[in-house]
Amino acid sequence: MRSDLMKKGVERAPHRSLCKSMGYTDEEISRPIIGIANSANEVIPGHIHLNDIARAVKMGVAMAGGTPMEFSTIGVCDGIAMGHEGMKYSLISRELIADSVEIMATAYPFDGLVLICNCDKIVPGMLMSMLRLNIPAIIVSGGPMLAGNRGDKPLDLINVFEGVGAKAAGKITDEELIEIENRACPGAGSCSGMYTANSMNCLSEALGLAMPGNGTIPAVTGARIRLAKEVGRRVMDLVEKDIKPMDIATQKAFENAIHMEMALGSSTNTVLHLPAIAHEAGITLDLKLFNNISAETPNLCKISPAGPAHMEDLDRAGGITAVMGEMNKKGLLYLDQITVSGKKIGEIIGSAESLDKEIIRPIDSPYSEDGGLAILFGNLAPDGAVVKKSAVDPSMLTHSGPARIFETEESAMEAIMAGKIEKGDVVVIRYEGPKGGPGMREMLSPTSALAGAGLDKDVALITDGRFSGGTRGAAIGHVSPEAKDRGPIAIVREGDFIEIDIPERSLNIKLSQEEMDKRFSKWTEPDYKVKKGYLYRYAKQVSSANTGAIFKD
């Protein structure tokens, strides 16, 4: 056993003595030791209940003859960090989470790992660590939050963000906003739509590194606790058979996950995280691959913000297994891929199909014939940009308009709230990329303010930063190269016409190459906004968004 390195033999008597000081018996020490990485804390709604999940996982490990040893990781709630300096620390926490799990599972050579997480950057950070360490492991989430309600209308966090814009536009009162605020988020779990956290938890199933149900079983149910117990039992089987993450997360597995990403219409942030996770396995996911897979994958789901349904509805309709069942009718999945469940993808699917044809559309009657995400290329984004096509109004799939230039999210938000953005405008927010931000902030506030003001069908937003998985409208992010890295977005001027054609996957500024070269000749790279601490170290090491914003080798 791998854990013998710290417990077996005469020379490890001091190590065993330290374990005994914590109450571990000789029998417990002799068993396979399973590290339990728990990101529970009291500042994230999706993590407030993770100690309950951890207890269930540890019970499952013990029932199967193992000894669980729990440790913690950090976590950032994007919703609470949104719109202020804290958001600069969200994406960058992904690398720290991966590093911390690597440190703990190397300092303590566990025989296996269970990684308990839920929210935006914690899930990909833990998946990255799984592949980096490559010891038997399973990831398990705390599950999605239930939707709130106001009368017979479902509510979620995005309704609150959009309520801010509606209040600024005089469409609702202070009292109405407070009522929405009080009712939108009813309890524990990752926010109830197909935002980044739930997207990544669903893709973990398709990738094969999580158990069936991981993405959709609601946080507050007994089924979620039972799943956690089963995860504890299953990891022991993986240890016994020495099945490792890189045996599962192959090129074919990542392509399965991208197919699922397109069928679900998941968060644009998944295009940032999947390449970073694949990088840990030595696999390169080029952005053109995402477009190629999108072209052959129908969009089967419109979960909030793309539509009125929520994660609990997707779970009732059969969850990710049912989505895979529909996809399999078109032969879109590699069925021979093994998973942590002990079954191959084909065995998991069985005869599964949608139990609600509106929540999970039949493959022959999709919401669209291509996927829910699109990668755009052009002279404004030579290395690509990302948009959640399934959440764009059809009238905005093609759009041309004058650029409105903002050097920060805050300045753009001020203009929106003051009513200075007009129909037809293209809001450009730059120097918010991985280096330029630094930290590539997620910008749900400006997109929600526009939606709340009723402008999401008339105004496009473009940024080298990120948009939330909860964003709807023509919000195009991850523009690469970013402004600080001499990307063309840096030389756009107020009033320049920008042409967006999502069906044709293009994003262009209406300028000649000669004019662009002339502007670049006068451009100088600005200094780093932060010159100390982790943000500064991150800005100097991070790569472009099109490669997953990973640290440079």
Side-chain angles (χ1 to χ4, degrees):
M1 290 189 290
R2 188 171 181 265
S3 61
D4 287 348
L5 293 170
M6 65 176 176
K7 69 183 185 184
K8 192 172 183 179
V10 173
E11 67 277 15
R12 295 294 183 256
H15 304 63
R16 293 191 295 274
S17 181
L18 289 168
C19 289
K20 289 176 180 179
S21 75
M22 294 182 281
Y24 292 105
T25 65
D26 282 321
E27 182 180 348
E28 288 174 302
I29 295 169
S30 69
R31 295 173 177 176
I33 295 179
I34 307 300
I36 311 295
N38 182 7
S39 57
N41 60 48
E42 296 181 354
V43 292
I44 305 180
H47 291 225
I48 193 72
H49 66 306
L50 290 191
N51 285 330
D52 295 334
I53 302 296
R55 277 191 290 272
V57 168
K58 290 188 287 187
M59 188 176 297
V61 169
M63 285 192 294
T67 297
M69 289 186 175
E70 184 179 345
F71 62 93
S72 60
T73 74
I74 63 167
V76 174
C77 174
D78 279 24
I80 297 174
M82 194 76 64
H84 60 86
E85 195 74 6
M87 181 47 75
K88 292 184 176 182
Y89 287 85
S90 174
L91 178 60
I92 73 177
S93 71
R94 185 188 72 181
E95 317 308 313
L96 281 178
I97 291 162
D99 290 349
S100 66
V101 175
E102 175 195 354
I103 288 169
M104 289 298 289
T106 306
Y108 307 93
F110 303 122
D111 298 299
L113 280 174
V114 175
L115 301 108
I116 304 169
C117 51
N118 220 19
C119 292
D120 296 41
K121 309 308 168 295
I122 300 95
V123 180
M126 288 191 168
L127 286 166
M128 289 166 67
S129 71
M130 286 175 72
L131 290 164
R132 186 184 302 174
L133 289 161
N134 201 34
I135 61 175
I138 303 180
I139 194 164
V140 60
S141 79
M145 183 185 291
L146 295 175
N149 65 80
R150 189 180 179 209
D152 60 354
K153 179 185 177 182
L155 293 176
D156 57 37
L157 179 65
I158 306 309
N159 295 111
V160 190
F161 274 98
E162 292 182 0
V164 173
K167 173 64 180 65
K171 294 188 173 187
I172 62 172
T173 65
D174 286 334
E175 291 73 22
E176 287 174 309
L177 180 57
I178 290 171
E179 184 182 4
I180 293 169
E181 171 188 329
N182 288 341
R183 300 184 68 87
C185 300
S190 48
C191 297
S192 56
M194 190 58 74
Y195 315 140
T196 305
N198 292 326
S199 295
M200 289 305 305
N201 285 328
C202 290
L203 297 190
S204 298
E205 282 190 53
L207 195 55
L209 295 177
M211 296 285 286
N214 180 70
T216 61
I217 296 173
V220 295
T221 61
R224 176 58 59 176
I225 298 298
R226 295 196 301 274
L227 176 67
K229 290 178 181 177
E230 183 59 24
V231 165
R233 292 173 60 87
R234 283 297 313 156
V235 75
M236 291 297 294
D237 190 57
L238 296 180
V239 169
E240 181 183 349
K241 295 176 180 176
D242 197 31
I243 298 173
K244 299 171 182 173
M246 285 181 63
D247 299 326
I248 297 169
T250 63
Q251 175 74 34
K252 289 181 178 180
F254 278 101
E255 291 186 20
N256 280 347
I258 297 172
H259 276 103
M260 179 60 66
E261 176 183 49
M262 298 304 169
L264 292 175
S266 53
S267 166
T268 52
N269 284 316
T270 59
V271 181
L272 198 66
H273 298 318
L274 283 177
I277 296 162
H279 177 75
E280 298 289 349
I283 295 170
T284 299
L285 298 181
D286 186 272
L287 289 188
K288 292 178 181 178
L289 175 64
F290 288 80
N291 270 348
N292 292 341
I293 290 177
S294 178
E296 65 181 20
T297 309
N299 178 210
L300 303 180
C301 302
K302 279 190 178 288
I303 309 301
S304 179
H310 291 83
M311 295 304 295
E312 62 203 78
D313 302 308
L314 180 58
D315 189 61
R316 283 196 294 266
I320 297 307
T321 301
V323 179
M324 289 195 293
E326 291 297 330
M327 294 167 68
N328 188 43
K329 293 176 183 178
K330 194 177 176 182
L332 294 175
L333 299 172
Y334 293 104
L335 302 181
D336 60 346
Q337 289 299 115
I338 63 171
T339 72
V340 293
S341 71
K343 298 178 180 179
K344 295 180 179 180
I345 290 290
E347 294 174 301
I348 290 173
I349 294 173
S351 59
E353 60 180 26
S354 173
L355 302 178
D356 186 325
K357 308 304 182 185
E358 284 304 305
I359 304 301
I360 305 172
R361 283 283 183 90
I363 196 74
D364 57 359
S365 179
Y367 284 104
S368 67
E369 293 294 339
D370 58 354
L373 298 181
I375 313 299
L376 312 184
F377 295 92
N379 68 357
L380 188 54
D383 294 336
V386 186
V387 64
K388 188 167 185 171
K389 184 178 72 70
S390 61
V392 179
D393 188 82
S395 65
M396 287 295 288
L397 290 173
T398 58
H399 180 76
S400 178
R404 302 294 306 279
I405 306 300
F406 301 94
E407 310 297 338
T408 65
E409 176 190 0
E410 287 84 356
S411 58
M413 188 65 178
E414 287 173 10
I416 294 168
M417 295 297 284
K420 294 180 179 179
I421 301 302
E422 299 178 357
K423 290 184 177 182
D425 284 347
V426 178
V427 175
V428 176
I429 307 174
R430 63 191 179 194
Y431 294 104
E432 288 286 5
K435 288 182 183 179
M440 201 181 184
R441 285 192 287 182
E442 185 174 278
M443 290 180 252
L444 180 57
S445 295
T447 58
S448 297
L450 283 173
L455 290 172
D456 57 300
K457 297 179 182 179
D458 301 290
V459 174
L461 289 93
I462 297 174
T463 183
D464 54 5
R466 300 182 294 122
F467 289 118
S468 166
T471 291
R472 62 186 172 99
I476 301 166
H478 305 196
V479 171
S480 300
E482 64 175 287
K484 183 163 171 49
D485 214 15
R486 207 173 183 272
I489 193 173
I491 60 164
V492 182
R493 294 177 183 171
E494 189 85 7
D496 286 343
F497 259 70
I498 292 176
E499 298 175 330
I500 301 164
D501 192 331
I502 295 173
E504 293 299 319
R505 307 299 195 257
S506 69
L507 178 63
N508 290 286
I509 179 172
K510 202 171 183 181
L511 291 177
S512 67
Q513 188 59 52
E514 181 182 7
E515 174 62 21
M516 292 179 71
D517 291 341
K518 181 180 176 181
R519 292 187 187 185
F520 268 125
S521 70
K522 298 177 182 179
W523 178 83
T524 55
E525 181 184 349
D527 204 354
Y528 290 102
K529 292 179 184 175
V530 179
K531 289 192 171 181
K532 64 179 182 179
Y534 183 53
L535 267 178
Y536 183 46
R537 297 198 303 275
Y538 179 87
K540 293 181 73 173
Q541 296 180 71
V542 72
S543 70
S544 174
N546 67 295
T547 58
I550 58 175
F551 282 160
K552 297 172 184 173
D553 290 332

